[in-house]
Amino acid sequence: MPPGVAAFLLRERAISTPLRLSNREARWLLLSAQGLATIPTGPLDLARIIEQLGFVQLDTIQVVTRAHHHILWSRNQHYREPMLDRFMAQDRGVFEHFTHDASVIPMAFYPMWRRQFERLEKKVRSWGWHRARGQGVSLASVKKRIQSEGPLSTRDFSSQPRGDREMWSRPPHKLILDYLWYAGDLTTSHRVNFTKFYDLAERVIPAEYRGLQIEDQDQVRWLCENALERLVLATAGDLQRFWDALDSAEAQSWIADSRDSLIPVEVIDADRSCRTVFAAPDLEQRLVTLAPPTSRLRILNPFDPLLRDRKRLRQLFGFDYTVEMFVPAARRRWGYYVYPLLEGDRFVGRLEVKAERKQGQLQVKRLWSEPGVRWTSKRAQKLDAELKRLAQLVSVPEVRWICNRSPEIGEPPPAA
């Protein structure tokens, strides 16, 4: 959008409120905010990438590479797997805790996470950690061992559940370690082959962040403002779900209190329907500098933050996507771990691929194109180039196709 037009439309919103954005503009804004609008090259600034995203979800599944590595690589393809572990364990650039799932979060955000420690501490009380005291394990005994021995993993403890096995789905020491971790008394020191090592928070979190006290209402304001910065266009529900560190009423209250500064926006969705959301005051500047995203084809991880909110994904991109590793095999439409293919501002297909590291191969098992997408030779070349780059990430020399290179035609989702 030309700068003059963007500025004119925003000045006129007092007359024609709210501002209306096309579906393409809404896509471009989100892709830009999510770090997926530019070619993922250039100097790697890991701290900046994580701060731009707000957090990076951790996941243990490694079909090609673990989700957190893939998410970071998608933003800059100079990233390699050991870098995040070093950034946490040596540089202390991030801490690990819960958003909607286990995630790494910029260390500078730690003071704003105190309410989350309190919220989750109350929640995990119901998990039965206190029953561990009757099993010969206590909060004090676990903390004393870590204090004297240094960071420990669950493998360093040997307590076993007694009595009803269903009740004791986890050993007593694991219940206590989790409780202390959620409450913020313990934190993740480092990971070895994705095994978490727990340490006292005061030995991991720098004093400048650990000692800073922020009023709860200021934490809520910060959470909402920073969620909106990364979503660009959002409802109260979007803000609440982003960090999952506040409740719906708090998000709605913040919007009500901030209406004078927020910009109401009508967004045209992929199905041409219209919905009303809110944008931050810097929307004008974002529109002035808005540019088309790179046409590079990207293989995105199923846990990429762009995909996390499936409802928003359908609304803006018309892309229906489900993570099916938790779906029984007989009921899967696609496969265990299927990667969406993003080209520019459009999802063009899905890919089932697996790294066979011992064989030195990245194996392409199935390929689908989205309905209405013509699979041209140019698009096939883009996918080949991205597969080679993905193979470099996991240090395998060969990309091997074990399926037809012509994609299957993806079927539209069944009618509701």
Side-chain angles (χ1 to χ4, degrees):
M1 179 184 294
V5 174
F8 172 78
L9 287 174
L10 284 155
R11 284 195 302 270
E12 289 295 300
R13 74 182 180 90
I15 299 174
S16 57
T17 302
L19 172 69
R20 177 171 289 201
L21 295 180
S22 70
N23 179 247
R24 173 163 286 182
E25 289 168 330
R27 293 188 194 196
W28 290 8
L29 285 166
L30 181 59
L31 289 169
S32 178
Q34 290 291 311
L36 292 172
T38 56
I39 297 174
T41 56
L44 173 63
D45 187 339
L46 188 56
R48 188 196 65 79
I49 293 173
I50 299 173
E51 183 174 357
Q52 180 181 16
L53 294 174
F55 62 88
V56 176
Q57 181 178 340
L58 300 172
D59 195 76
T60 186
I61 298 173
Q62 183 173 261
V63 175
V64 176
T65 184
R66 290 191 171 100
H68 39 286
H69 299 312
H70 194 158
I71 290 166
L72 294 167
W73 174 82
S74 291
R75 274 74 186 171
N76 190 304
Q77 294 182 348
H78 292 303
Y79 175 84
R80 290 297 181 265
E81 291 177 337
M83 294 179 178
L84 181 60
D85 289 337
R86 290 200 300 265
F87 191 57
M88 179 171 69
Q90 299 176 22
D91 301 337
R92 298 302 186 203
V94 291
F95 69 99
E96 185 179 318
H97 208 254
F98 233 69
T99 54
H100 68 295
D101 211 320
S103 303
V104 291
I105 305 164
M107 187 64 77
F109 293 2
Y110 187 86
M112 301 300 178
W113 218 248
R114 292 190 179 278
R115 75 179 335 258
Q116 185 73 329
F117 297 144
E118 295 174 3
R119 291 174 78 249
L120 292 180
E121 187 274 337
K122 294 176 183 177
K123 182 176 180 180
V124 299
R125 284 180 190 174
S126 63
W127 292 1
W129 67 266
H130 53 281
R131 298 188 184 113
R133 289 177 296 185
Q135 306 290 318
V137 185
S138 67
L139 295 176
S141 65
V142 169
K143 289 185 72 173
K144 185 177 181 180
R145 278 201 60 188
I146 292 174
Q147 185 174 23
S148 61
E149 299 177 37
L152 299 177
S153 75
T154 56
R155 297 173 184 175
D156 294 307
F157 296 83
S158 58
S159 67
Q160 296 296 322
R162 304 172 191 167
D164 187 344
R165 298 292 296 185
E166 185 176 353
M167 177 187 298
W168 291 100
S169 58
R170 292 174 295 170
H173 65 265
K174 176 59 174 170
L175 289 169
I176 287 181
L177 287 169
D178 283 346
Y179 171 79
L180 291 170
W181 184 84
Y182 280 110
D185 293 331
L186 299 181
T187 193
T188 306
S189 168
H190 62 285
R191 285 179 178 264
V192 177
N193 296 325
F194 207 65
T195 297
K196 181 193 297 186
F197 282 76
Y198 301 80
D199 200 357
L200 303 179
E202 56 264 32
R203 294 202 297 220
V204 174
I205 308 300
E208 62 184 296
Y209 300 122
R210 196 177 65 253
L212 190 58
Q213 300 293 325
I214 306 294
E215 293 292 334
D216 186 70
Q217 62 187 24
D218 293 326
Q219 293 179 54
V220 170
R221 175 177 53 80
W222 184 93
L223 289 166
C224 290
E225 289 176 350
N226 279 268
L228 186 57
E229 179 181 345
R230 289 159 178 81
L231 295 172
V232 187
L233 307 168
T235 63
D238 295 330
L239 299 181
Q240 185 276 323
R241 290 189 297 273
F242 184 82
W243 306 103
D244 199 17
L246 43 80
D247 60 36
S248 180
E250 289 170 325
Q252 291 173 5
S253 178
W254 179 80
I255 285 181
D257 293 341
S258 308
R259 282 186 181 273
D260 289 344
S261 60
L262 298 178
I263 299 174
V265 179
E266 287 183 351
V267 175
I268 306 301
D269 283 328
D271 63 1
R272 300 183 181 179
S273 63
C274 181
R275 59 192 170 94
T276 301
V277 296
F278 291 94
D282 68 348
L283 180 61
E284 177 175 358
Q285 182 59 35
R286 292 184 188 246
L287 287 171
V288 167
T289 58
L290 190 61
T294 173
S295 62
R296 178 181 287 217
L297 190 147
R298 301 173 187 265
I299 301 170
L300 294 185
N301 188 270
F303 293 102
D304 193 279
L306 182 67
L307 308 171
R308 176 191 162 198
D309 190 325
R310 312 297 188 211
K311 181 178 179 181
R312 184 172 64 238
L313 189 66
R314 288 192 300 271
Q315 288 171 331
L316 285 184
F317 295 90
F319 185 63
D320 186 81
Y321 181 72
T322 301
V323 177
E324 293 189 312
M325 67 281 294
F326 308 116
V327 177
R331 292 171 52 193
R332 292 176 190 148
R333 291 182 57 222
W334 307 101
Y336 173 75
Y337 208 83
V338 172
Y339 296 81
L341 303 179
L342 175 70
E343 183 183 34
D345 66 358
R346 182 187 185 192
F347 285 93
V348 297
R350 305 165 198 244
L351 183 74
E352 187 172 13
V353 61
K354 184 177 182 181
E356 296 291 354
R357 301 191 185 212
K358 291 183 179 179
Q359 300 175 36
Q361 293 180 342
L362 186 67
Q363 295 184 354
V364 184
K365 297 188 171 186
R366 292 186 75 182
L367 172 65
W368 300 266
S369 63
E370 286 298 289
V373 172
R374 185 165 163 261
W375 202 260
T376 63
S377 59
K378 183 176 181 180
R379 187 164 281 137
Q381 291 170 4
K382 287 183 179 182
L383 177 58
D384 284 340
E386 185 75 345
L387 284 166
K388 289 179 182 178
R389 291 187 286 261
L390 186 59
Q392 290 174 353
L393 170 65
V394 294
S395 300
V396 296
E398 180 187 0
V399 176
R400 181 188 175 199
W401 287 76
I402 58 176
C403 67
N404 196 317
R405 291 180 60 91
S406 298
E408 304 171 49
I409 306 300
E411 294 296 327

